[in-house]
Amino acid sequence: MKYFAALSPMKDEEKSKQYREQHLEFIKEKREEGSVLMFGRFTDGVGGLVIYKGESKEAVEALVSQDPYFMHDARHLELHEWDMQTDYTIS
């Protein structure tokens, strides 16, 4: 399983407010399914971050495309594979 950091910078503040509850419901559902490891908003209001688990970047892109924020063009998407470290060993 791979991890992916999905940054979601603000694109349209009004749409973000409009679709916030649907976005949070989507994230809750994906977390319960095991596709979301962690999530949160940036305290300066510029957007948020979700850490997804998936087999490939393409699989996670397909999943993220179902998020109301992205379906309705409220946020930009920046997706990066994340090499999560669980100790201090340098590789």
Side-chain angles (χ1 to χ4, degrees):
M1 190 65 61
K2 297 178 181 181
Y3 296 94
F4 298 87
L7 296 152
S8 57
M10 187 74 65
K11 188 173 189 178
D12 185 315
E13 190 171 353
E14 282 305 310
K15 284 184 180 180
S16 289
K17 287 178 185 177
Q18 181 180 356
Y19 294 105
R20 179 170 172 71
E21 291 303 317
Q22 292 174 30
H23 161 75
L24 293 174
E25 191 60 38
F26 172 83
I27 295 299
K28 178 183 175 188
E29 178 183 305
K30 298 308 167 197
R31 185 168 173 121
E32 289 171 356
E33 291 174 1
S35 301
V36 169
L37 180 65
M38 61 182 77
F39 63 95
R41 66 179 183 86
F42 297 123
T43 59
D44 60 5
V46 300
L49 169 71
V50 179
I51 304 296
Y52 286 94
K53 295 189 294 185
E55 294 297 322
S56 67
K57 187 173 184 179
E58 294 77 20
V60 171
E61 285 173 337
L63 180 65
V64 172
S65 71
Q66 300 170 35
D67 184 323
Y69 273 169
F70 304 114
M71 290 175 60
H72 298 284
D73 212 27
R75 301 286 181 103
H76 294 284
L77 174 62
E78 192 176 315
L79 188 64
H80 302 276
E81 186 171 348
W82 184 47
D83 184 14
M84 183 174 68
Q85 300 295 305
T86 56
D87 60 36
Y88 295 102
T89 305
I90 297 174
S91 52

